[in-house]
Amino acid sequence: MKKLMKVVAQGEPFAVQSQKAENGQVMKCNIVLQELGGKYEDTYVAAMLGQLASCKFYAGELVYAVLRFQTREYNGQMFQDILVVELIKMKN
């Protein structure tokens, strides 16, 4: 999904284990993004990984977001992950 969105909140980055990373760890940060239009528009909690996790965004900022939605099965249950592929600050 590619969309202009508003930042609601961003958490602090933290290290998580990753088999894909050279040193076995990758930085991760969660961000809350809301579609534009009103107070009750759809809101998404997405994960930012790697260098993107160290970027700081503030509540109210407009961003162009490219999100990837993926599902996976674990122990017979289905889970959905939202990953930030790209996040660009828009000038207000």
Side-chain angles (χ1 to χ4, degrees):
M1 175 172 79
K2 300 174 182 181
K3 205 165 221 183
L4 190 61
M5 303 182 93
K6 178 177 68 171
V7 175
V8 175
Q10 180 181 357
E12 293 298 319
F14 56 95
V16 294
Q17 290 185 341
S18 172
Q19 295 175 352
K20 296 178 183 179
E22 286 182 26
N23 66 354
Q25 288 189 334
V26 66
M27 294 304 289
K28 179 180 179 180
C29 179
N30 291 319
I31 190 165
V32 182
L33 300 170
Q34 184 178 43
E35 293 182 359
L36 299 181
K39 184 177 177 180
Y40 301 106
E41 295 299 326
D42 288 340
T43 303
Y44 306 91
V45 177
M48 301 189 305
L49 300 174
Q51 288 183 321
L52 190 56
S54 64
C55 297
K56 185 65 179 161
F57 296 91
Y58 297 96
E61 283 186 322
L62 292 179
V63 294
Y64 175 75
V66 179
L67 305 178
R68 183 173 70 207
F69 295 78
Q70 44 191 35
T71 58
R72 59 187 166 82
E73 185 269 335
Y74 181 75
N75 286 343
Q77 293 184 308
M78 294 300 291
F79 295 91
Q80 179 177 350
D81 295 318
I82 305 173
L83 182 67
V84 176
V85 176
E86 190 174 357
L87 207 57
I88 301 169
K89 286 183 189 180
M90 305 303 289
K91 294 185 180 183
N92 293 340

